[in-house]
Amino acid sequence: MAAGVKGRRRMRTALSAAALLLALLAAPIAATAQGVAPSHSHGDMSALPPPGAVLSTPAYEAATEKMHTAMMAQRFTGQADADFAAGMLPHHQGAIDMAAVELHYGTDPGMRALAQGIVAAQQKEIGQLQAWLAAHPAGGEAASPATAAFAVAVAKMHRAMDVPITGNADRDFAQAMLPHHQGAIDMAGVELRAGTDPGMRALAQGIVAAQQKEIGQLQAWLAAHPAKDAPQ
């Protein structure tokens, strides 16, 4: 019994540390993507573990749990455009958070380059989504066929992302981003079927095109790097 309690305490401590690490990793990356020079003081970042440390596992877990919690807490309005915009905000932030882990712990040039591209593209789209939501206040909660379709897409993504983490930062990033990107494509598909706003529909079309391309890159990388051969 005592061993079980100690084990749970260690797990809570590790996840808390991972959440703090995630915040430290994401802040300078977000600043760079927004064109702000990140601080190079050694106050916080000097405390980070070196690349390749085992904390890549709880850091990825913290990133996905943060995203899942935020997406499951969404209150649907029944308006496809508004629900798409609101749902894509935490979804995109999840990609940025996972990319931050890859950029700190990953060593593969291809995966690191992909992570950098994801940060830049999805930071830009977060700005577009926030601006659109500010200009289009939504009403109260309501249900619609689009609401149900969004919920199905989100639940499907959450299930698909529940895969074993290997401890290899590059491989774990690639494996997690596949269902994550497919989730974005599925949500964009709902928007394209039910949404009417030209701006949101154009954003959805761009998401489908970009993330289908990146899915191809991720699949090719995983095929070329079997688990036993993936960079350590």
Side-chain angles (χ1 to χ4, degrees), residues 145-214:
T147 301
F150 279 127
V152 168
V154 171
K156 173 187 170 186
M157 181 189 71
H158 293 338
R159 289 193 303 270
M161 290 185 71
D162 186 17
V163 296
I165 297 179
T166 68
N168 178 293
D170 300 306
R171 186 168 190 82
D172 291 337
F173 175 67
Q175 289 185 151
M177 291 309 297
L178 278 175
H180 180 275
H181 274 18
Q182 186 58 53
I185 291 169
D186 292 345
M187 293 169 66
V190 178
E191 165 62 19
L192 291 171
R193 291 192 300 273
T196 59
D197 181 84
M200 285 300 98
R201 288 178 57 81
L203 183 60
Q205 290 171 332
I207 286 171
V208 170
Q211 303 210 4
Q212 281 180 336
K213 178 181 178 181
E214 289 178 356

Side-chain angles (χ1 to χ4, degrees), residues 166 168 171 175 222 225-232:
T166 68
N168 178 293
R171 186 168 190 82
Q175 289 185 151
L222 286 167
H225 298 82
K228 63 182 179 63
D229 296 331
Q232 298 295 322

Side-chain angles (χ1 to χ4, degrees), residues 119-130:
V119 171
Q122 303 209 6
Q123 279 283 10
K124 179 180 178 181
E125 289 179 356
I126 283 176
Q128 294 173 314
L129 292 162
Q130 289 173 329

